[in-house]
């Protein structure tokens, strides 16, 4: 099983809402990632959980906050987003952080209105 | 600043031809190299990874790595219209997260 699952597939939220994106993998991978991808651009790394340690891309605003309840689950909490945050949010996992995200989930298409 | 460069394309090849996609990287300490395929509106799909100099073949795909020249390429033999997508090169080092190139759009013409 090489699957990374993400829910929801689509999300529309207002700028005052609070929502969460969820990601799950059952491959025993020890590193999980959140990426943001805008149209016609490559994925941009936001957060890494590797061996229960969080690494943050310092350019990511604080209205995004990750949570890793266990080694199989990764959440991304969203609060007070801006329209420019509309993008495809991708979760990925890898056996270790050498691979930097070997397997990607299908993504959540987020629209902020 | 670690950089990964690719021609943005579009690269157009006729059906049945060989498509050649190239990627160069700036960090000589890079150890792992990946090619992803991404269809419009979908997530990236891993096609190949390569760690050592030389060629690695998987079906119609061949990855070529030359660390001395700091480039990695992907050859697609017998190109099909279904191969039309954006191909992302990603380069990484142990203990560090990898960097994506901007991607090359490939169009295979029937």
């Amino acid at each position: 099983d090489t699957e990374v699952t993400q829910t929801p597939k689509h999300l529309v939220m207002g700028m005052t809402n609070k929502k969460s994106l969820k990601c799950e993998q059952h491959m025993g991978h020890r590193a999980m990632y959140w990426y943001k991808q805008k149209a016609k651009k490559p994925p941009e790394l936001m957060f890494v959980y590797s061996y229960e340690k969080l690494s943050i891309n310092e350019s990511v605003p604080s209205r995004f906050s990750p949570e890793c309840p266990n080694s199989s689950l990764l959440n991304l909490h969203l609060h007070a987003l801006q329209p420019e945050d509309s993008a495809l949010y991708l979760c990925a996992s890898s056996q270790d952080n050498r691979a930097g995200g070997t397997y990607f989930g299908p993504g959540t298409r987020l629209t902020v209105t | 600043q670690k950089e990964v460069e690719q021609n943005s394309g579009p690269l157009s090849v006729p059906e049945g031809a060989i498509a050649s996609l190239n990627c160069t990287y700036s960090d000589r300490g890079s150890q792992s190299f990946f090619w992803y395929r991404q269809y419009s509106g979908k997530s990236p799909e891993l096609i190949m990874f390569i760690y050592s100099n030389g060629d690695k073949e998987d079906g119609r795909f061949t990855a070529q790595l030359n660390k001395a020249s700091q480039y990695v390429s992907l050859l697609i033999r017998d190109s099909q219209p279904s191969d039309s997508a954006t191909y992302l090169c990603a380069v990484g080092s142990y203990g560090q997260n990898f960097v994506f190139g901007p991607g090359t759009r490939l169009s295979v013409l029937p």
Side-chain angles (χ1 to χ4, degrees), chain A residues 33 35 37 42-43 45 48 88 90 96-107 109, chain B residues 31-32 34 36 38 41-44 46 51 88 92-98 100-102:
Chain A
Y33 310 79
Y35 286 88
Q37 188 176 26
L45 183 64
V48 181
L88 181 66
L90 296 161
D96 59 44
N97 64 357
R98 175 169 74 156
T102 304
Y103 298 101
F104 282 84
R109 176 70 62 186
Chain B
Q31 297 172 310
S32 51
F34 303 84
Y36 286 86
Q38 187 171 27
K42 302 295 185 181
S43 64
L46 180 66
Y51 300 144
L88 297 162
S93 303
Y94 189 78
Q96 300 180 22
N97 304 305
F98 68 27
F100 278 100

Side-chain angles (χ1 to χ4, degrees), chain B residues 51-71:
Chain B
Y51 300 144
S52 303
N53 275 331
D55 295 358
K56 180 179 179 181
E57 186 175 319
D58 184 359
R60 295 187 296 114
F61 299 98
T62 299
Q64 299 175 317
L65 175 61
N66 184 324
K67 290 187 178 180
S69 300
Q70 294 177 245
Y71 83 79

Side-chain angles (χ1 to χ4, degrees), chain B:
Chain B
Q1 179 78 4
K2 298 176 183 177
E3 294 184 349
V4 178
E5 297 184 352
Q6 299 178 252
N7 289 327
S8 61
L11 172 66
S12 296
V13 299
E15 184 174 357
I18 295 175
S20 178
L21 305 164
N22 299 314
C23 172
T24 59
Y25 59 95
S26 62
D27 181 11
R28 284 196 169 273
S30 299
Q31 297 172 310
S32 51
F33 306 86
F34 303 84
W35 283 100
Y36 286 86
R37 176 175 63 194
Q38 187 171 27
Y39 294 111
S40 180
K42 302 295 185 181
S43 64
E45 173 191 8
L46 180 66
I47 300 175
M48 299 277 294
F49 60 88
I50 187 167
Y51 300 144
S52 303
N53 275 331
D55 295 358
K56 180 179 179 181
E57 186 175 319
D58 184 359
R60 295 187 296 114
F61 299 98
T62 299
Q64 299 175 317
L65 175 61
N66 184 324
K67 290 187 178 180
S69 300
Q70 294 177 245
Y71 83 79
V72 57
S73 62
L74 179 70
L75 301 178
I76 307 175
R77 290 181 298 281
D78 189 23
S79 296
Q80 301 297 308
S82 58
D83 294 325
S84 298
T86 296
Y87 289 80
L88 297 162
C89 172
V91 176
S93 303
Y94 189 78
Q96 300 180 22
N97 304 305
F98 68 27
V99 177
F100 278 100
T104 297
R105 275 197 302 133
L106 172 66
S107 178
V108 180
L109 306 175

